[in-house]
Amino acid sequence: MKNKALKRLIYGLSVLLTSLPCFSFAIINPVKHDTVTAGYKLKTVVIDAGHGTRPNGSHSGASGSYSTESNVTLAIALKLQKAIEKDIPDLRVVMTRTSEADVGLKTRSEIANSNKGDLFISIHCNSLSDRRVREVVGHKHGKAVYKSYSVPDRSGKGVLFLVYGFHRSEEEQEALRENLFEEKDNSEQQNVLDDPASIIAINAFKAKYRKQSIHFANMLNTEFTEGDGRRSDGVKEQGVLVLCHSAMPAVLVETGFINNHEEEDYLNSEAGQDAIVATIVRALGSYKAEVEQVSQ
């Protein structure tokens, strides 16, 4: 490999790889922070307002009785941007969308990667699918006659944090390859990917980013549950495309259940949005201080 800087990177990462443990499916328990490069600074955070308004005027995502996920997430994301710029001024904020217009999932990841994001936070609202109810509506020939129908399930409550699942690791590997070796054309990138030393580098980044994603998600979970007293479904892995395509630690925050009337009111209120934003900023500030202190 001719690039000396790349050689140094791969050598350092090959050493780092030996200290990175593997992870099981169960990830709800806190994970200790990962080591980072000496002198590392958390410079750029990417805030992703989930979903949006399609060109035909319809909204992607979930909806409540009077609001949509696309509008709620945008309101929270814009407030989060201002709060970070105010409370953590040395941290650059990049937004994947600042208007109602929807942005494609691939485009969101491209925005994050092209801006060299150090952390990706995707804001969403949760919702439960309708549940099926079966009841007796009569009798025929001495036997009960049943009718099945759907009813809204409004029992969901609280927050949830998602990190990408292992089953999308190949897609993450592609994103990392493109981001790490972006100066090379496609054929050169493929040659790099076939090189054992480069594979070590990419796998080291994959392990490190996953570990940091889980750790930050657990920090968020602690802030929401212990700081705000919110109910939580914990940290879970899921095959979220926008997370695994972002070549950096990434967490999706389900801020509440928009199809629960009480939660919908909270998500749309100034007090609710301000509390959500303040909680994320607290976790972000702690995470930034931690990883930068470790790098000293």
Side-chain angles (χ1 to χ4, degrees):
M1 193 173 295
K2 298 179 180 180
N3 190 312
K4 292 183 179 179
L6 184 57
K7 282 185 178 180
R8 290 194 296 270
L9 170 66
I10 292 172
Y11 174 77
L13 287 172
S14 63
V15 174
L16 172 65
L17 183 61
T18 62
S19 65
L20 295 175
C22 296
F23 295 93
S24 65
F25 180 80
I27 58 174
I28 59 174
N29 294 324
V31 178
K32 292 182 179 181
H33 58 72
D34 188 16
T35 54
V36 291
T37 305
Y40 172 82
K41 295 294 182 182
L42 191 72
K43 297 178 181 179
T44 302
V45 59
V46 181
I47 304 301
D48 174 51
H51 301 283
T53 303
R54 302 185 182 98
N56 64 4
S58 64
H59 296 274
S60 63
S63 61
S65 59
Y66 62 86
S67 64
T68 64
E69 179 178 9
S70 60
N71 289 336
V72 170
T73 58
L74 179 61
I76 293 174
L78 290 173
K79 287 186 175 183
L80 181 57
Q81 177 190 23
K82 291 182 179 180
I84 294 172
E85 291 173 345
K86 176 179 178 294
D87 296 340
I88 316 176
D90 61 333
L91 187 58
R92 175 181 172 233
V93 181
V94 173
M95 306 289 287
T96 60
R97 73 178 178 102
T98 56
S99 71
E100 292 186 5
D102 196 9
V103 177
L105 296 178
K106 183 177 180 181
T107 301
R108 294 171 190 262
S109 299
E110 289 173 347
I111 291 171
N113 295 337
S114 64
N115 280 279
K116 304 297 182 185
D118 298 302
L119 183 64
F120 184 90
I121 304 174
S122 189
I123 307 298
H124 285 255
C125 298
N126 217 338
S127 180
L128 291 177
S129 302
D130 292 351
R131 57 189 177 89
R132 296 291 293 177
V133 174
R134 188 168 180 256
E135 65 178 19
V136 177
V137 295
H139 292 79
K140 186 175 182 179
H141 305 304
K143 294 183 178 181
V145 177
Y146 294 90
K147 179 182 179 181
S148 297
Y149 55 93
S150 297
V151 297
D153 187 349
R154 307 191 190 283
S155 62
K157 189 173 184 179
V159 293
L160 170 68
F161 308 94
L162 301 178
V163 298
Y164 62 85
F166 278 124
H167 60 289
R168 302 201 81 147
S169 62
E170 290 185 5
E171 295 172 71
E172 187 207 6
Q173 179 172 291
E174 177 68 15
L176 284 168
R177 178 176 67 85
E178 292 178 356
N179 209 44
L180 288 172
F181 309 110
E182 61 182 355
E183 75 278 2
K184 300 179 180 295
D185 60 30
N186 290 336
S187 61
E188 287 179 316
Q189 285 187 7
Q190 185 58 50
N191 290 335
V192 164
L193 189 57
D194 293 335
D195 181 80
S198 299
I199 294 174
I200 290 174
I202 292 173
N203 286 335
F205 271 108
K206 283 170 60 179
K208 181 174 76 170
Y209 289 165
R210 178 176 168 79
K211 189 174 183 179
Q212 290 175 337
S213 297
I214 295 171
H215 181 56
F216 180 59
N218 276 297
M219 294 179 75
L220 285 166
N221 188 50
T222 298
E223 287 291 345
F224 272 98
T225 55
E226 298 182 6
D228 289 354
R230 295 287 302 281
R231 176 180 171 181
S232 173
D233 287 329
V235 178
K236 298 181 180 180
E237 69 169 26
Q238 197 172 105
V240 181
L241 186 147
V242 75
L243 296 183
C244 68
H245 283 193
S246 299
M248 64 202 67
V251 177
L252 187 149
V253 182
E254 296 280 12
T255 55
F257 285 80
I258 197 170
N259 70 333
N260 175 312
H261 295 316
E262 181 182 348
E263 293 254 304
E264 182 179 18
D265 289 342
Y266 181 79
L267 292 170
N268 281 274
S269 68
E270 290 292 328
Q273 292 179 1
D274 290 345
I276 291 168
V277 166
T279 303
I280 295 174
V281 171
R282 287 198 307 272
L284 179 58
S286 298
Y287 176 77
K288 183 177 187 295
E290 181 181 275
V291 297
E292 292 182 352
Q293 181 180 14
V294 170
S295 71
Q296 299 301 318

